[in-house]
Amino acid sequence: MSGNKYCFAIDRGGTFTDVLCICPGGKVRTMKLLSEDPERYSDAPREGIRRILKEETGAELAASGLVDTSKIGWVRMGTTVATNALLERKGDPVVLVVNSGFRDLLYIGNQARPKIFDLNIRKPANLYQTVVEVDCRIVPEQKERCELDQSWKVLEGVAGTKYLELRPVDEVTVRASLSAAREQGVSSVAVVLAHSYACPEHELRVGQIARELGFSHVTLSHQAMPMCRVVARGYTGCAEAYLTPHVDRYLASFKSGFDKQLEGVDVLFMQSDGGLTNMENFRGARAILSGPAGGVVGYALTGARETELPLIGFDMGGTSTDVSRYAGSYEHVIESTTAGVTIQAPQLDINTVAAGGGSRLFFRSGIFVVGPESAGSHPGPACYKKGGPLTVTDANLILGRILPQYFPKIFGPKENEPLDDEIARRKFVELQTEINSHLKASGDGRVLTIEEVALGFIRVANETMCRPIRALTQSRGLDTANHVLSCFGGAGGQHACAIARNLGIAKVVVHKYAGILSAYGMALADVVQELQEPSGLEFSEANAQKLKERLDVLSQQGHAKLSEQGFQKIELEPFLHLRYEGTDGALMCAPSGGKQSSGGSPLLTAYGDFHATFLERYRTEFGFVLQNRRIIVDDIRIRGLGKNETPPESQVQSAKEATPAAQGTTRVHFDQGGFDAPIYLTKNLLAGHKITGPAVLIDQLSTIVVEPESKVEVTPYGDLIMDVKTGGKHGINAELDPVHLSIFSHRFMSIAEQMGRVLQRTSISTNIKERLDFSCALFGPDGGLVSNAPHIPVHLGAMQETVQYQLKVRGESLKNGDVILANHPSAGGSHLPDLTVITPVFYESHPRPVFFVASRGHHADIGGITPGSMPPHSTSLAQEGAAFKSFLIVENGQFQEQQIIERLTTPTAAKGAVGTRNLSDNLSDLKAQIAANHKGIQLVAELIDGYGLDVVQAYMSHIQKNAELAVRDMLRQIGKDTLERTGSTVLQAREFMDDGSPIALKVTIDVEQGSALCDFTGSGVEVWGNCNAPRAITLSALIYCLRCMVGHDVPLNQGCLAPIQVIIPKNSILDPSEGAAVVGGNVQTSQRIVDTVLKAFGVCAASQGCMNNITIGDETWGYYETVAGGAGAGPGWHGAGGVHTHMTNTRITDPEILELRYPMILKRFCLRTDQSGGRGEFNGGEGVERDLLFRKPVTLSVLTERRTLQPYGLNGGDPGKSGRNLILKRDGRVIALAGKTCIDVEAGDTFAMKTPGGGGYGIGGDSSKSGAGLDQENTKRFVERGTVFNYLQAQESA
């Protein structure tokens, strides 16, 4: 501690900057300023330091006219400067250096689109300005699998790994290309070369050339983060090059206002991992969570003294809410996506959701909606008097939960006025009128007051914030109620009681510095030194000594670096990044049990038991461990801690009386009604004071609302402990209420999401656990879909047909303890690998099922004539594997193992068919699906216990009717527009498959009713092939198109199709006979149905219309991928290139993973250069080129479309180019492949594919503009992130 000096901890947030000063003698000062106020000061943190020094010492400036540093002990700061630069794309211009053939690698990324229902696909803008392709390449040796002529130079990588140098660095070309970029004024370069994390020779040479040419900032990806996966590492390196110069300029500006540039002052900055680092080492890619990380440290170190239960951090700010968890140790993730950029670096698992004080309020189609749009800090909420919209803050103001007299006068155009409740009230009257008019029109006689409307929006906002907390806990098998809520942030105190009550959490901790806890966390944090290197070794006794030696080396380096900074108390935390061989689920594991020996292993003796930690964590995360499977060490990591010596908080004075004196009363509205609640100032509260709600507690930095029947006690440190009343039934009835409609929508969707997390956690196959190719859903007693999440388009609504088929064939015979398996197309199936598990749910004494739950997962193999059960040339269903119409997989609670084994292993009657090739994965995944259904049953039972069966079932129906209302509103609008444009309300379209089979659609809209007749009469007959699409696929495609056209979130359930009558001719390509082959219908015809629907409605041009299914393998291994293409343009937008569209959104395997695991070399992966996107006023997106070189003989199966016919343009736009499949033989021949074929290829052959482009829209335009689809606009001032967000993004890209 710095004796008689002033020490500052600062959090520079997006809206406010919080300053905490520890004065000589232990006095603590706090201050809150606007982060941007250019008319008053140029830098908020420096201004806060200046003001406090002036108030405390009388003089804040040195003789130089700058802030005097002689009385400053240290400064510790977190800042959003890197986050804002990333979000707003305001970093430095960067030249990206990549291997030849991969110029668009970071643009394509994982090929998934960010928002699954956006037809205008907006990818995050690139972080680089220009690309230099380097003609150099190394690949893993794969000596035992590679049959190519291995005459190349062998390079040695980390841990003895071997790599082949196919081509050395062409230094002349590199120098010339980088010189040209330098002459354009670019001074920052990011070098991202394949496999450089393990063998960095090429990157080091290119980096040396860049420095010689005068680039001021050179980032080498293997130094930014030495981890496998070139795309994620490339983003990290690019972010480092893009952000760090921007951060450096901010630091220079910050220092420039201090005397002697802060020389002699200990200045530390918070990193994303919750540790501090010297200002000189503060780098862009590790600064993304700089501010929020301080809050996690703050609540973790202060909340732990109040409880032994794990803590949930709840940090609600103006534009977003951060949710995290602390259970004795910080929860880190190594890879996370922020603002569309995947960063590989240790980061605290902070989940940011779009719900804050500035979240906007809407009433749409009879439902209350909060966010995700935000008013931000400018113009801000309506009550800020800057012309802003209604927000959560305005609702709290109307309800009396914010008291303007206790807020600073910083609002209005001149930022000198108080909050204005009159403006908020006036806007709420307008919204109240709209809502009551809707209620009256729908036959509801109620008239809501302004307070009831505002309270409704607060309830919806609370449920929005509860959802990620449930996901963060329940997805890991944890009981949400068995936590303590630690509330902080400027807006959190107004919602904490209600959030805790909704979650069943009985205790809330509010620190005395809750309004600026992120700043206080900076004061408490340790200095961290991270060291990490890749490994690749097997975790085994034979490698124990090697692993220990590397841990020793990193430990010594970490200790030395912290010692150089003057730390004497140093702790070193060792980690191994472990995974089972053949899986992607690596876990960063610390050793358990201290330095205990297990069989005398030198590694375990020195560091502890990593193996035990891995098994325990894997079992907790995934529900099982794998037997007889090798464990691989991906990375070795040491986290060094220079321990913080900030003195502990002092205790506050004890109260003589239990009840404090109130400052007055105010009218506050709660669920129970309006109350005259006492007002207390927290600065007057003493240890031992007790308060019973309702009450309003005013802190100089935040407001805390205590609900009726909740109690507050002040701790010896001046913190608040709130006991919240939980449990009991909610007092609502079955009548439709627009507020509870929104709440139940969230709850039902949350149930389906949690089912999905259980399925992912307990499954074993790559398809379900890692590719997340599954869906879970909740259905009403009639089998009608209620909620389906997460959204895989080809599954949307399809399971409803399956459930209703079981009701039809089993009816009264369904009984408690039964679980049904189905996948047959005539029973609502999509294609045979998608197995659906359905559980009827009985409640108490009800004789019939009260609802159903179901889960559908893609199994890697269920038999048939080819591995993977997706033969490109199948002509009958029997060739595609085992089929189930209504199979009791569980009867009377007993899993029918022998019966299901017999069915799966018995070949069908088709010639060449065999039984399943992976029975163990089938059984494990089926059990995981049953477990997921069981979780859904538990969660719905909890909902019924809380609300009553009649209410829950009523809201299932209400939500379906609400979706119907949204679609009717859309159809009315489309009908009016169509009538105005064409004089008719009849829409028609006709599209063709490559074999000439037509897909015909005639849509007749009834404008008055908001209904439509969709008639597919005229579509082609059933085909002799596998592009027949089961009826369920057509319905899924329709729901997908309707959701896209509605343009905002609506519940995706059977109500979407209620206003639509669908006619599909029997024995056609859209409803084939019972034995027809269908595997291509699911993945190809589904895309053409979407093309036809969107063409009829005139929404946008055709996208690539194909999933480009590729299967490669032999008798010992298999690999499957789908490949992106171009998106169609539309009115006002260019189509995106290199992205999946419509009925799929599958991620593609990272090039480094592909080349490490399989005997293939990826020679090219980039956008097409032959103008594959159709030209027009708005151009279609480009398809991609993808070339795979085979290192040994394999079987190649191709299942593609749009190889003959082109994706259509619209309104005069040109069509996109069709795709092409080629084999480049090793002897020089070039062979064209059909769209659907299966061939054997030789070592040295290359499969070269060009995927289709998207169609253009409108006549004319600049033909030089490609369909980039980059999102250059940033309308939100928050960044969704964290494991919950990453999981949902991954699920949407399944």
Side-chain angles (χ1 to χ4, degrees), residues 716-736:
Y717 289 95
D719 304 333
L720 305 177
I721 300 291
M722 288 198 283
D723 290 319
V724 179
K725 183 180 179 182
T726 61
K729 277 202 174 186
H730 300 271
I732 69 169
N733 57 36
E735 291 182 13
L736 173 62

Side-chain angles (χ1 to χ4, degrees), residues 1110 1112 1186-1190 1194-1198 1220-1234 1237-1242 1244-1250:
I1110 310 300
I1112 302 164
R1186 187 169 174 86
D1187 296 359
L1188 288 167
L1189 169 66
F1190 303 110
V1194 297
T1195 299
L1196 168 68
S1197 296
V1198 180
R1220 196 167 190 196
N1221 305 330
L1222 298 174
I1223 288 291
L1224 312 181
K1225 298 295 290 183
R1226 62 181 179 179
D1227 62 9
R1229 289 180 296 144
V1230 179
I1231 300 173
L1233 296 182
T1237 191
C1238 180
I1239 64 167
D1240 293 327
V1241 294
E1242 302 172 285
D1245 290 350
T1246 297
F1247 173 56
M1249 178 166 62
K1250 290 185 176 183

Side-chain angles (χ1 to χ4, degrees), residues 47-344:
E47 176 68 10
I49 293 173
R50 185 194 69 77
R51 288 185 188 183
I52 289 178
L53 286 176
K54 181 177 181 180
E55 292 169 9
E56 291 294 322
T57 68
E60 81 282 8
L61 300 180
S64 61
L66 302 174
V67 176
D68 185 7
T69 58
S70 63
K71 295 181 180 179
I72 299 177
W74 47 251
V75 177
R76 296 174 180 173
M77 192 158 104
T79 173
T80 59
V81 64
T83 309
N84 291 342
L86 184 64
L87 178 65
E88 298 167 5
R89 296 302 195 258
K90 290 183 178 178
D92 271 32
V94 173
V95 55
L96 172 65
V97 180
V98 295
N99 299 101
S100 180
F102 294 90
R103 65 179 179 275
D104 301 304
L105 183 68
L106 298 189
Y107 170 75
I108 297 171
N110 62 16
Q111 77 180 7
R113 60 192 184 276
K115 295 186 177 179
I116 203 163
F117 295 113
D118 280 4
L119 296 173
N120 177 12
I121 299 169
R122 287 170 290 188
K123 286 187 166 187
N126 293 326
L127 299 186
Y128 52 87
Q129 178 174 297
T130 186
V131 179
V132 168
E133 292 186 86
V134 179
D135 190 23
C136 65
R137 192 71 156 88
I138 64 170
V139 297
E141 185 181 32
Q142 290 204 8
K143 193 170 185 178
E144 295 179 358
R145 305 177 78 184
C146 182
E147 297 183 18
L148 298 176
D149 176 22
Q150 296 204 14
S151 58
W152 299 290
K153 179 181 177 181
V154 178
L155 304 178
E156 184 162 340
V158 294
T161 53
K162 297 289 195 300
Y163 287 83
L164 302 178
E165 185 180 53
L166 304 186
R167 296 185 302 279
V169 176
D170 181 349
E171 296 190 13
V172 174
T173 304
V174 170
R175 194 174 293 274
S177 299
L178 286 178
S179 294
R182 188 73 192 90
E183 289 170 4
Q184 294 174 10
V186 181
S187 60
S188 192
V189 61
V191 185
V192 182
L193 302 180
H195 302 288
S196 60
Y197 74 98
C199 190
E201 189 172 304
H202 287 178
E203 274 198 358
L204 290 168
R205 184 64 195 118
V206 173
Q208 183 181 345
I209 293 171
R211 291 187 181 93
E212 291 170 0
L213 292 173
F215 283 91
S216 59
H217 192 90
V218 178
T219 298
L220 306 182
S221 75
H222 77 276
Q223 293 175 350
M225 194 59 187
M227 290 183 71
C228 185
R229 295 180 191 278
V230 66
V231 173
R233 192 176 69 253
Y235 281 136
T236 306
C238 217
E240 186 85 4
Y242 182 75
L243 296 174
T244 299
H246 183 79
V247 171
D248 286 345
R249 281 194 299 276
Y250 171 74
L251 298 180
S253 171
F254 174 67
K255 289 192 298 182
S256 68
F258 290 92
D259 189 36
K260 301 178 183 177
Q261 298 265 314
L262 284 169
E263 183 181 340
V265 178
D266 186 20
V267 182
L268 301 170
F269 276 79
M270 177 64 76
Q271 300 184 110
S272 300
D273 63 358
L276 297 164
T277 189
N278 285 329
M279 183 161 53
E280 296 76 22
N281 297 326
F282 190 51
R283 297 276 132 323
R286 293 178 183 255
I288 304 299
L289 301 183
S290 176
V296 176
V297 174
Y299 86 75
L301 296 183
T302 59
R305 71 186 175 207
E306 305 294 348
T307 179
E308 294 183 357
L309 290 174
L311 296 161
I312 290 174
F314 175 67
D315 177 7
M316 184 178 176
T319 54
S320 61
T321 295
D322 289 338
V323 174
S324 56
R325 183 175 180 271
Y326 179 81
S329 62
Y330 296 118
E331 297 190 349
H332 287 102
V333 291
I334 300 300
E335 187 173 300
S336 185
T337 301
T338 300
V341 178
T342 300
I343 303 292
Q344 278 186 330

